[in-house]
Amino acid sequence: MQTMLRILGGESLTLTDEVEGLFDVHPVWADEQTFAEAHRALEEFLPPGPTIQERMAAHNLATEIPVARAEPLLHVIIAELRRRTQARFPLPDGESFELRIVKNQPWSAYNWYLGDFHSRIDVNTDLPRHITGLVDLMAHEGYPGHHTEHSLKEARLARERGYTEFRVTPLYGPSCVVSEGIAMRAATVVLADEEWVAWHADELLPRAGLGHLDAAHEHAIIKAAEALGAVYGNAAMLLHEHSASPDEVLAYLRRYGLMREEEARQSLRFLTPRLDAAYVFNYDYGAKLLDALFAVRGGPGRGSPACWPSL
């Protein structure tokens, strides 16, 4: 709160100071060798082409799905994820969320928790959706991600224990790190890797008219690309700490994030507002918190890069 008041008061802070003051994490520059290693891992799985960027673009084109076909699939995915979530984390009676398809937003998707165990989830369609990213998207925003977290906190903390502060969800605070960590690893808690592959092979890819794709192969690409999520934090630091031009940041996103021009521009749009640039660190750092927890207690740890940046 003190940091936000300083920002609202017009004080000029570095991006690092904002991230530390708002979210209680210390942002560091991700070693680009990590991205290079991810690129080398992807070489084995991507279609042939002159550059790794063009090969990734060709792959992404092959997994694109039009909105008219994606929307009914989302409801199929939501039903199955809810069933799996309910089996593991009993949900409050009457909980639900509304799904809306929107355009002209800087983010990929957004969960608006409305209270009384209800949410509205907006899915942005400025860029094409990919069949291999829909499960992680709905897990992140809905079951067992943001909607589930907020509903259970309202039920167990606000209503049962009287902690009324949990009726309010701070948009900029340390709890966001935990919340995004939960959302980034949500799918892995209810869906093992082999279950993801089987579900896509048996139902989701055929329903999307993409039954010719090899689900295990697609899953391997997702695994190989996990480390590229940290590209967003570097791009934010380039823009706001190193005074890089927008064109330089676009080139960085395309080179290391393997993004097409339109994807890089959408990412830059998200990163340009200073507070959004500070927020982007919550995804990677939150996911690492959950990974550390799983490493100690035993549990899943598959990444979710298809959701970036998602709130």
Side-chain angles (χ1 to χ4, degrees):
M1 291 178 68
Q2 292 171 343
T3 301
M4 183 59 74
L5 288 172
R6 292 169 66 190
I7 294 169
L8 293 175
E11 188 173 340
S12 179
L13 303 179
T14 66
L15 181 64
T16 296
D17 287 342
E18 284 190 18
V19 175
E20 289 179 340
L22 293 172
F23 303 115
D24 196 27
V25 296
H26 178 69
V28 296
W29 183 267
D31 187 349
E32 286 152 352
Q33 182 61 30
T34 303
F35 308 146
E37 291 171 1
H39 293 181
R40 285 193 291 272
L42 285 164
E43 291 276 358
E44 179 182 348
F45 304 108
L46 294 177
T51 67
I52 187 71
Q53 287 80 9
E54 290 171 292
R55 295 174 67 189
M56 179 61 90
H59 164 263
N60 288 344
L61 187 63
T63 62
E64 282 183 7
I65 180 171
V67 175
R69 195 173 295 167
E71 188 171 3
L73 263 180
L74 289 175
H75 291 284
V76 171
I77 290 167
I78 289 166
E80 176 61 15
L81 289 176
R82 187 184 189 280
R83 182 189 71 80
R84 289 172 174 268
T85 299
Q86 177 71 9
R88 189 153 190 178
F89 311 106
L91 296 162
D93 291 340
E95 64 74 31
S96 67
F97 62 78
E98 172 194 1
L99 186 69
R100 294 200 322 175
I101 304 299
V102 301
K103 294 185 72 66
N104 194 30
Q105 298 294 338
W107 31 258
S108 174
Y110 204 113
N111 176 288
W112 308 87
Y113 187 64
L114 307 176
D116 293 326
F117 314 136
H118 296 292
S119 294
R120 189 184 81 233
I121 295 176
D122 291 347
V123 175
N124 188 22
T125 58
D126 287 352
L127 293 177
R129 286 289 167 183
H130 300 275
I131 181 60
T132 50
L134 297 184
V135 169
D136 273 328
L137 183 74
M138 285 297 97
H140 187 117
E141 304 296 345
Y143 303 116
H146 289 318
H147 169 73
T148 302
E149 177 200 357
H150 297 322
S151 295
L152 290 177
K153 280 182 174 176
E154 180 175 349
R156 298 184 183 182
L157 299 179
R159 296 195 182 193
E160 292 180 13
R161 301 190 184 183
Y163 299 160
T164 55
E165 65 269 28
F166 283 97
R167 293 184 181 274
V168 177
T169 302
L171 184 57
Y172 299 102
S175 61
C176 297
V177 186
V178 177
S179 184
E180 291 302 344
I182 291 171
M184 289 294 290
R185 295 297 186 252
T188 71
V189 175
V190 295
L191 201 65
D193 287 349
E194 58 272 19
E195 292 175 312
W196 188 100
V197 171
W199 189 14
H200 280 75
D202 298 341
E203 180 178 16
L204 298 183
L205 290 174
R207 277 180 178 264
L210 297 171
H212 60 281
L213 294 177
D214 184 313
H217 185 89
E218 296 303 320
H219 185 263
I221 291 175
I222 289 174
K223 292 283 288 184
E226 285 177 8
L228 300 184
V231 166
Y232 291 93
N234 281 10
M237 297 182 85
L238 275 176
L239 187 64
H240 295 286
E241 292 236 305
H242 302 296
S243 302
S245 69
D247 285 343
E248 289 173 320
V249 177
L250 284 172
Y252 190 91
L253 289 167
R254 297 195 68 188
R255 177 182 178 185
Y256 290 107
L258 304 183
M259 300 179 192
R260 290 179 288 183
E261 177 76 20
E262 61 269 29
E263 293 168 336
R265 289 194 177 280
Q266 184 79 349
S267 297
L268 178 62
R269 182 183 176 194
F270 182 84
L271 292 170
T272 298
R274 185 59 171 263
L275 286 174
D276 287 345
Y279 193 95
V280 80
F281 291 93
N282 292 329
Y283 301 104
D284 191 40
Y285 285 66
K288 288 174 180 174
L289 281 177
L290 266 291
D291 289 344
L293 178 66
F294 292 151
V296 172
R297 302 184 64 175
R302 182 173 58 82
S304 181
C307 292
W308 286 66
S310 193
L311 297 178

